[in-house]
Amino acid sequence: MVLTIYLIAITLISFLLFAIDKRKAIKHAYRIPESVLLFTAFLGGAFGSWMSMQLFHHKTQKTKFRILVPLAMVWTVGVLIWWLY
């Protein structure tokens, strides 16, 4: 139960961080560091990161994100499998 709540929360946080960063990019405002965006993906928010990337077309052209966010998704699934079994 706690794990489920954590994953929902970190996924939502990651999704929102990407959305906020996209809005800031459009407004030429101070941006959220890429390291923070990727860190939240590897903390379990990879699916939120990926959904936000696709929905807002944000960071989709950056090779770093095109490789590391899917890798974070694999990492998250691997950790879940390890945790549950």
Side-chain angles (χ1 to χ4, degrees):
M1 181 66 157
V2 173
L3 180 62
T4 303
I5 293 169
Y6 170 78
L7 286 174
I8 290 170
I10 195 68
T11 297
L12 182 60
I13 289 167
S14 189
F15 181 88
L16 291 173
L17 285 175
F18 271 77
I20 291 166
D21 190 56
K22 175 65 175 191
R23 184 175 190 118
K24 288 180 176 230
I26 292 169
K27 294 185 175 209
H28 303 288
Y30 177 77
R31 305 282 299 281
I32 297 170
E34 289 183 349
S35 59
V36 172
L37 297 174
L38 290 170
F39 185 63
T40 59
F42 277 94
L43 284 178
F47 292 96
S49 299
W50 183 81
M51 287 185 294
S52 198
M53 285 174 66
Q54 300 310 309
L55 183 63
F56 303 115
H57 304 286
H58 189 49
K59 302 287 187 186
T60 57
Q61 298 301 312
K62 289 204 158 221
T63 304
K64 181 185 341 183
F65 283 84
R66 289 174 56 189
I67 293 171
L68 291 178
V69 170
L71 186 63
M73 292 170 82
V74 171
W75 164 259
T76 300
V77 170
V79 169
L80 279 173
I81 291 169
W82 175 80
W83 183 275
L84 297 173
Y85 294 104

